[in-house]
Amino acid sequence: TTKENFNRKYAKWIVANNMPLYTGESSEFKEMIRSLNKAVNPPDSRSTIDMLTVKKLQAMAKLKAAVKDKYFSLTADHWTSLAKENFGAITLHFIANFELKTHVLSCTKHENGASAKEMEHQLVSDMRNWELERDFFIGIVTDTAANMNSLGREIEEQWNTKYARHVYCADHILQLTAVLAFSGNVSVENYAEDTSVGCLKKARDLVSHINSSTAANEKLAKAQRMMNPEGCIYKLLQDVITRWGSTFKLVERVVKLEEPIKEMFRQEFRNRTSVNQPTLLEKYSLSDEDFDGLRNMLHILKPLQSAQRALEGDKYVSISLVPYIIHQLRIELEGCLVAANPDTQNDLISLLDKMIDDFNSRWGEEPSYSHETRRGYRNRQIGIHAYSYWAMALDPRTKKYLPKV
């Protein structure tokens, strides 16, 4: 009927747009709906909950049937909210008809912190509730935090499973190396002479100032209009420590707007109220050497950004890409080090040395296969997991690259 069809569409709209369940109780909302069809009365919160509960049970039954007798993997994540509350999430992954399927099984608040035991209880509960058999459990992917490391070792050493192995999230490990370039700290003594890495800190300071000042924002927009009256007006992008790739985008946007930024500072100089007194905005100016340094930083960060973007895909299998990506990144980082000028880029060379040392400490000095999990400092895994090599050898997209790696 029309009413039943509306109720289904209404429930879907509530969920898709994250609307309050009591939306249908609003007199104004009811009036709007009845202006279209007087026979339709929006459901109240209780009716909406009932509809969604039925839909949930149907979806659970459908998922249980879809994953039955299929091999699967899980990902586990944990975080602390702004309210200092701890949460853990478990996500299911399996392949059906050559298509990757992903479903969130649970997102649970942990009163005592997301310890390894707490996460294990959540995992056991999810596998029981969703009727997931341990004989089909291939592995669990997590970050490298101590609690997740303990959870992974517990599964490998204590659970009675045929295949389940703990695999680190490659994207997360790459971020730990990439973050070395994000601080913008200068390791050499003379800041004025070597701007190859300090330029990143200066660029971040400029972006923060402009984004916090309406007047400075308008000055940059005006400079862009002067140089390209018909073009788009771009904003500078602030990076966020928890958003991977955001620093790359910050640098990329600053370099893109190099000429408008320079024009903005030229106009600022001309419009000084006092000739010998720089304005507040001018204190954040970037030199030609700074922009050269930022272009060097882009050159370093771009391969990492591309690798992370490839590994973040949720519509395709990514574990088979890991060996080739690590192989190529090692070549890229070492190539950047060779290309750096020791006369003018000591700080850049120092950064690249640190990044390469960190990269090798996590992935090994060179590609090597081992069926057993290798561990290093604080029992952290080292190297590329055996499952990645197996997947690479089987995946039609990557198996031709296996001899090269």
Side-chain angles (χ1 to χ4, degrees):
T1 65
T2 300
K3 181 178 180 180
E4 291 171 340
N5 183 52
F6 172 81
N7 287 348
R8 283 195 299 270
K9 298 290 186 183
Y10 171 81
K12 184 177 181 180
W13 173 74
I14 287 287
V15 173
N17 293 280
N18 200 28
M19 300 297 291
L21 296 176
Y22 54 78
T23 299
E25 299 172 7
S26 164
S27 57
E28 291 79 8
F29 186 82
K30 289 180 180 179
E31 183 180 354
M32 179 183 70
I33 296 300
R34 286 170 183 163
S35 69
L36 297 172
N37 190 329
K38 293 182 180 180
V40 173
N41 188 37
D44 59 16
S45 58
R46 184 68 261 170
S47 300
T48 303
I49 290 173
D50 290 342
M51 283 190 293
L52 294 177
T53 300
V54 171
K55 199 67 178 175
K56 172 191 172 183
L57 295 175
Q58 292 173 344
M60 288 182 68
K62 188 175 180 180
L63 179 56
K64 288 176 184 178
V67 77
K68 185 174 177 58
D69 296 333
K70 285 188 174 65
Y71 291 99
F72 65 90
S73 66
L74 300 170
T75 52
D77 196 9
H78 62 108
W79 64 93
T80 302
S81 71
L82 291 175
K84 304 302 179 185
E85 295 174 325
N86 295 296
F87 292 88
I90 307 290
T91 307
L92 169 73
H93 311 272
F94 64 97
I95 297 174
N97 297 323
F98 296 97
E99 185 179 346
L100 180 64
K101 304 290 185 180
T102 300
H103 300 274
V104 176
L105 301 183
S106 68
C107 180
T108 304
K109 180 179 177 182
H110 292 280
E111 298 293 348
N112 300 314
S115 65
K117 280 298 177 186
E118 289 266 355
M119 291 300 299
E120 185 180 11
H121 291 157
Q122 182 179 350
L123 179 59
V124 170
S125 175
D126 281 350
M127 292 186 68
R128 181 178 62 249
N129 292 339
W130 292 93
E131 300 173 7
L132 300 173
E133 299 179 34
R134 292 193 178 190
D135 285 349
F136 291 94
F137 182 21
I138 292 294
I140 184 166
V141 178
T142 75
D143 62 22
T144 62
N147 58 339
M148 291 302 184
N149 204 46
S150 298
L151 172 65
R153 296 192 70 184
E154 179 72 16
I155 291 170
E156 287 189 350
E157 298 169 8
Q158 303 298 327
W159 282 35
N160 183 24
T161 64
K162 291 182 180 180
Y163 311 110
R165 301 283 292 276
H166 180 212
V167 182
Y168 283 163
C169 171
D171 218 15
H172 179 85
I173 299 175
L174 290 178
Q175 177 68 6
L176 295 176
T177 298
V179 79
L180 293 176
F182 295 169
S183 66
N185 291 332
V186 181
S187 59
V188 294
E189 293 181 3
N190 195 334
Y191 181 95
E193 290 184 4
D194 191 336
T195 59
S196 54
V197 177
C199 59
L200 181 54
K201 182 179 186 304
K202 293 173 73 175
R204 183 181 283 118
D205 290 344
L206 171 65
V207 171
S208 296
H209 175 73
I210 289 181
N211 285 344
S212 63
S213 168
T214 304
N217 236 314
E218 179 53 35
K219 288 175 182 178
L220 179 59
K222 182 180 178 181
Q224 292 182 68
R225 285 192 290 268
M226 286 177 62
M227 304 198 72
N228 187 3
E230 304 300 323
C232 293
I233 302 300
Y234 292 96
K235 299 281 189 181
L236 292 176
L237 302 176
Q238 189 75 52
D239 60 343
V240 181
I241 192 169
T242 55
R243 186 166 297 169
W244 298 354
S246 63
T247 300
F248 175 85
K249 291 178 181 177
L250 177 150
V251 176
E252 186 178 48
R253 180 59 58 85
V254 169
V255 170
K256 180 184 180 72
L257 296 179
E258 177 179 358
E259 292 307 319
I261 288 173
K262 289 180 175 178
E263 177 61 28
M264 175 185 70
F265 284 119
R266 284 193 290 268
Q267 293 297 327
E268 191 73 1
F269 175 78
R270 294 189 189 108
N271 296 325
R272 282 182 182 178
T273 54
S274 176
V275 176
N276 296 320
Q277 182 65 41
T279 65
L280 176 60
L281 178 58
E282 284 183 280
K283 294 178 181 179
Y284 298 96
S285 65
L286 300 177
S287 66
D288 290 341
E289 291 76 16
D290 290 328
F291 280 106
D292 287 341
L294 291 173
R295 276 187 283 272
N296 289 331
M297 294 302 298
L298 275 185
H299 189 62
I300 295 172
L301 293 173
K302 190 168 185 177
L304 288 163
Q305 168 79 355
S306 299
Q308 289 180 288
R309 189 175 298 165
L311 293 171
E312 287 168 5
D314 59 358
K315 301 298 182 185
Y316 52 85
V317 174
S318 58
I319 191 172
S320 55
L321 306 177
V322 173
Y324 184 71
I325 284 176
I326 298 307
H327 172 72
Q328 289 299 117
L329 279 177
R330 182 178 280 110
I331 293 173
E332 293 278 357
L333 287 172
E334 290 175 351
C336 288
L337 181 60
V338 170
N341 187 334
D343 295 328
T344 59
Q345 297 179 317
N346 289 326
D347 200 28
L348 186 63
I349 290 173
S350 175
L351 172 63
L352 282 164
D353 279 333
K354 289 179 181 178
M355 292 180 72
I356 291 171
D357 287 345
D358 185 81
F359 185 89
N360 290 335
S361 73
R362 301 179 190 281
W363 297 106
E365 296 285 341
E366 58 183 23
S368 60
Y369 172 82
S370 174
H371 179 66
E372 301 299 325
T373 301
R374 291 172 292 165
R375 296 188 181 274
Y377 177 64
R378 296 176 68 181
N379 281 318
R380 296 294 198 274
Q381 295 181 20
I382 299 175
I384 298 172
H385 200 281
Y387 277 4
S388 291
Y389 285 114
W390 295 3
M392 185 179 189
L394 293 169
D395 192 331
R397 299 171 302 170
T398 57
K399 62 182 181 182
K400 63 183 177 182
Y401 297 112
L402 191 59
K404 182 177 181 181
V405 172

